[in-house]
Every structure is written in C-alpha cells, then in structure tokens.
Amino acid sequence: MTRTPVIKVSFKAQMLQAREDAIIEVVNHLLAEKGFEAMTVDEVAAQVGIAKASLYKHFPSKEDLAAAAMVRVMRKAQAYLQGLPAEATPLEQLRAVVRWTMELKLAGGMPSLPSQNSSLRATLIANPDYMNGLIEVSDQLGAWIEEAQAQGRINPALPAIAVLYTLYARACDPVLEFLKMGGQHTDGEIVELVLSTCFDGLNAR
Amino acid sequence: MTRTPVIKVSFKAQMLQAREDAIIEVVNHLLAEKGFEAMTVDEVAAQVGIAKASLYKHFPSKEDLAAAAMVRVMRKAQAYLQGLPAEATPLEQLRAVVRWTMELKLAGGMPSLPSQNSSLRATLIANPDYMNGLIEVSDQLGAWIEEAQAQGRINPALPAIAVLYTLYARACDPVLEFLKMGGQHTDGEIVELVLSTCFDGLNAR
DNA sequence: GTCTATAGACCGATAGAC
DNA sequence: GTCTATCGGTCTATAGAC
C-alpha cells in the first residue's frame, strides 16, 4: 500500500466529482427531454464525452443514473424550500414552489420518469438520499398544506395527501408542454395559467 | 374466380373481426398497465392466445397495434359524447366526460401512451380514424367550453385551448393512481376528489 | 388436393452491462 | 470493444378446412 499525498487525493476526488456532476447534468436533461426508457447509456456517454465503460465506474446501472439525477433535483428542491422567506403565508409558499417546479420543467431541467417502471421504482426506494429528500420535502409541503387549510385558504374538505399529490403532479403536467408546443404563450404566461387552473380551478369564481 | 357463398364470407369476416377485437382489448389493457415501450408484441400474442406471426396478419407493426387501441378508445369516447343528454348544461357535459375518462382510467381501460414518442406519434397522426375522432371530440368539447365560458360558468379569462388540454390531461393524471395506491379511498371518491380539484381548484371558495 | 392460417424457430439490430 | 439478452419482425413447414 502506497501513501498518497493528501493534496493529490483531494484533486483526484475533485475531478471525479466534477465528472459525476457532468454526467448527472446530461442525464438530467436527457430524462427531461425523452424519458427513462428512450434514454440510452450510449447517448449519455457520448454527450458527456467519455467512454461507456467509464460511466459504469461511477454508476452501476442505468437505473442508478436516473436515481442520481432525481437525488440532485430533490436536493435543489430542498435548497429552494430552505431559501423561501419565512414570513410568507403557507399558501404563498406552496404557490412559489409549484411555480418553481413548473419553471424548471419548462426550462428542460425536470427529469420526468414514468410512474409505472418497477425496476426504477425499486432503485429509487432503495436510495436513502432520494427517500430522505422526498420525505423532508413532503413533510414541509404537508405542513404548509395543513396550515393553509387551517387558515381556510386551501379547501379543508380535501385530504392533505390529495393536495400534496396534486402539487407534485405539476412537475409532470403534459399541459405545460402542450401549451408550449402551441407557441401562443410565453413560458411565464403558461406557468401563471396552469398555476391558476391548479389553485383556482377551471370554474369561474 | 369462384363464387363464394355470402354466408361463408360473412362468417370468416366475423371470425377475423372477433379476433381483432380480442387483440385490441389485450393491447388496450397492456397499454394502460405498462405503457407502450414496456409492452412487447410477444406478450400481446401470448395473452391473446395466438402466434406472433398471426398478429402481423392483422397489424403491420407494434405502433399500429397501439394506434388501433387508441382508435377504439376514441370511438368509445365519441359514443359516450353522443349518448349524453342534450338538455344538460355545457358545464355538466364537461364534468360528465371528465368523470367518464377518469373512471375508465381507474378501471385499467385507458391506454396511456408517452406523449414524447416520435414513431408512435407519426403513426397516430397518419391514422385518419384516430385523427378524425380526436378532432370531432375536440370540437365538441371546445364548443361546450366556449358556451360554459359565455355563461360565466368556466373562467372566461382562460384560453379555451388551455381548458381543453387540462380536461384531456385528466386521462393520464398520476394523482389517480397515487390515491388508488394509497388505498384510503374508493374509486368513486378518488374520481370526485380529482374532479373537485380540477374544476374548483385547491383554494377554498 | 389446394389453400390459408398458424406455430414456433429464426434473424438482425439494439442496448445494457462489463 | 465485447458479450449477451431482448425485442421487433420474418420465414417455413404443417395442420386443418373446404
């Protein structure tokens, strides 16, 4: 066993980390653009500019690639929640995070995975980083939902879990891409439109 | 050229038609259950109980299989629209068709295809039966939407096309399956819940 | 005997894994 | 760069209807 200078190990680790970031960035955009099934690992390797075999040095399987991208976006969500102004009302917080989610999706940065893929689900559930992030985010959102319901801002007749799912679902709402495809509205208009139908509903008020 | 008894031709045609119905039924449920990519044509053949080659006597490709299922559900939608009571208000009609759509999905009869598959999209767009059905359904829904907006029942500030997309999106809303997975509600409750969030929004009124 | 449909082997390409 | 599995699609020999 050879002693390695500390400075070199750190540098090497930095390189590894940088490459992993690049990989995850590519995976993130590919997942947003074409989904898990349609994304091939050859494609990922090509876009990163490394050999396919090198990918497997970092991630043991395609599922783990996707999981890493999900962990990353979950961390970004946690950071966003952390940065929200504490003085805002719960309803404002919820609207803000949904807006953030939809803006991310419209910008091509939201990895949407099929909700019915078993191998991928298993990998995600087995990933503590992902699961802890998901739970923390859900707890925060759940708390805001219940506060907003207690304040009579969000319909108290709705189960909080149904509200939570409805908010999460904006991250993969096909209405966003359809409206964008139509080309009649800016991204900002689309976000406000869907935000309105989500919170205010389709009915006139 | 030999004359063939009418009765025989009819019988044979009936057999073919019956088998095609069986195929489409299987495809429909497989598409609802696991999506287009995950569905294999071997699987389809096995579940129908015929050889794979026989499938290709009926449908020239996997895409056409999916297209046939989509045409079928589109026809069912058209028949449902046709059967609605003419005296109901436009808003009631819209609510009814969305309810019907979600019930079909919860029952496993709504073939959900990924919105970003190009080969499948091409096949569907090239299919006149599907496109005509889609246009007819959209025209009917669009007319109701504009009527309901004129009556002040649906928010007139929303572009009609956005309302239309929002209604269509209920056919692939992951909230339905998530709530069903939770096991806390009956299918009927889930439908009314999502119907409420769709039309009334999350906010208290 | 002829003709059609079927069953199941088979092929080529692709993609995940190493 | 190689290996292997899978999957969409095809080919052929045979069984059965007429």
Side-chain angles (χ1 to χ4, degrees):
Chain A
M1 208 164 192
T2 62
R3 255 200 53 150
T4 328
V6 172
I7 178 68
K8 187 180 166 195
V9 169
S10 168
F11 178 72
K12 187 172 164 185
Q14 246 181 316
M15 287 291 93
L16 276 189
Q17 188 58 47
R19 184 154 66 177
E20 242 175 64
D21 287 349
I23 294 171
I24 295 178
E25 177 66 18
V26 165
V27 169
N28 191 60
H29 278 99
L30 282 175
L31 282 181
E33 182 190 330
K34 45 206 311 186
F36 180 73
E37 314 271 357
M39 178 186 81
T40 71
V41 328
D42 294 78
E43 208 171 11
V44 174
Q47 283 201 19
V48 177
I50 62 178
K52 191 162 51 158
S54 306
L55 268 189
Y56 284 90
K57 297 282 186 209
H58 292 271
F59 303 96
S61 75
K62 185 187 179 185
E63 280 77 15
D64 290 276
L65 276 175
M70 292 306 292
V71 167
R72 182 160 157 276
V73 68
M74 194 63 78
R75 276 201 228 281
K76 277 166 76 173
Q78 289 178 267
Y80 180 79
L81 291 184
Q82 216 75 41
L84 281 174
E87 66 273 18
T89 69
L91 182 61
E92 285 169 339
Q93 308 278 34
L94 293 173
R95 288 179 65 98
V97 63
V98 171
R99 185 182 283 113
W100 176 82
T101 302
M102 295 194 296
E103 282 166 353
L104 186 61
K105 177 169 173 59
L106 279 173
M110 176 63 76
S112 273
L113 1 135
S115 51
Q116 76 269 34
N117 187 310
S118 53
S119 76
L120 194 48
R121 282 188 75 84
T123 303
L124 280 176
I125 296 180
N127 188 316
D129 285 337
Y130 174 75
M131 284 306 288
N132 288 334
L134 178 61
I135 289 170
E136 189 178 310
V137 170
S138 297
D139 282 349
Q140 177 63 86
L141 295 182
W144 282 334
I145 289 169
E146 285 169 1
E147 280 181 63
Q149 286 182 313
Q151 295 174 359
R153 304 300 298 276
I154 286 201
N155 184 357
L158 298 171
I161 190 75
V163 178
L164 180 66
Y165 289 159
T166 302
L167 299 182
Y168 273 144
R170 284 330 104 216
C172 59
D173 192 340
V175 173
L176 291 167
E177 27 191 311
F178 277 127
L179 285 176
K180 193 181 177 84
M181 219 186 310
Q184 299 295 312
H185 305 87
T186 66
D187 283 8
E189 288 168 351
I190 292 172
V191 167
E192 296 310 316
L193 214 49
V194 177
L195 204 58
S196 166
T197 63
C198 177
F199 284 93
D200 302 327
L202 297 175
N203 290 348
R205 294 184 89 90
Chain B
M1 206 167 188
T2 62
R3 253 199 57 149
T4 326
V6 172
I7 179 69
K8 184 183 162 193
V9 170
S10 168
F11 178 72
K12 189 173 165 185
Q14 246 181 318
M15 288 291 93
L16 276 190
Q17 186 58 48
R19 185 158 59 188
E20 245 177 60
D21 287 348
I23 294 171
I24 295 177
E25 177 67 17
V26 167
V27 169
N28 192 58
H29 277 99
L30 281 175
L31 281 181
E33 183 190 330
K34 47 205 309 187
F36 180 73
E37 314 272 357
M39 177 186 82
T40 71
V41 331
D42 293 80
E43 206 173 11
V44 174
Q47 282 202 21
V48 177
I50 63 177
K52 184 163 61 158
S54 304
L55 268 190
Y56 283 89
K57 294 281 187 213
H58 292 272
F59 302 96
S61 76
K62 186 188 179 186
E63 280 77 17
D64 290 276
L65 277 175
M70 292 305 293
V71 167
R72 181 159 158 278
V73 68
M74 195 62 78
R75 275 201 229 281
K76 275 165 77 173
Q78 289 179 267
Y80 180 79
L81 291 183
Q82 216 76 40
L84 281 174
E87 66 272 17
T89 70
L91 182 62
E92 286 170 340
Q93 308 278 33
L94 292 173
R95 288 180 64 98
V97 61
V98 171
R99 185 182 283 113
W100 176 82
T101 302
M102 296 195 296
E103 283 167 352
L104 187 61
K105 177 169 173 57
L106 280 174
M110 177 63 77
S112 274
L113 1 135
S115 51
Q116 75 269 38
N117 186 309
S118 54
S119 76
L120 193 48
R121 281 189 76 83
T123 303
L124 279 176
I125 295 179
N127 188 316
D129 284 338
Y130 175 75
M131 285 306 289
N132 288 334
L134 178 61
I135 289 170
E136 188 178 311
V137 170
S138 297
D139 282 348
Q140 177 64 84
L141 295 183
W144 282 334
I145 289 169
E146 286 171 0
E147 280 181 64
Q149 287 183 313
Q151 295 173 359
R153 304 300 298 274
I154 286 201
N155 184 357
L158 298 171
I161 190 75
V163 177
L164 181 66
Y165 289 159
T166 302
L167 299 182
Y168 274 143
R170 286 327 105 214
C172 57
D173 192 341
V175 173
L176 290 167
E177 26 190 312
F178 278 127
L179 285 176
K180 193 182 177 84
M181 220 186 311
Q184 299 295 312
H185 305 87
T186 66
D187 284 8
E189 289 168 351
I190 293 172
V191 167
E192 296 310 315
L193 215 48
V194 177
L195 205 57
S196 166
T197 64
C198 177
F199 283 94
D200 302 327
L202 296 174
N203 290 348
R205 295 184 90 89

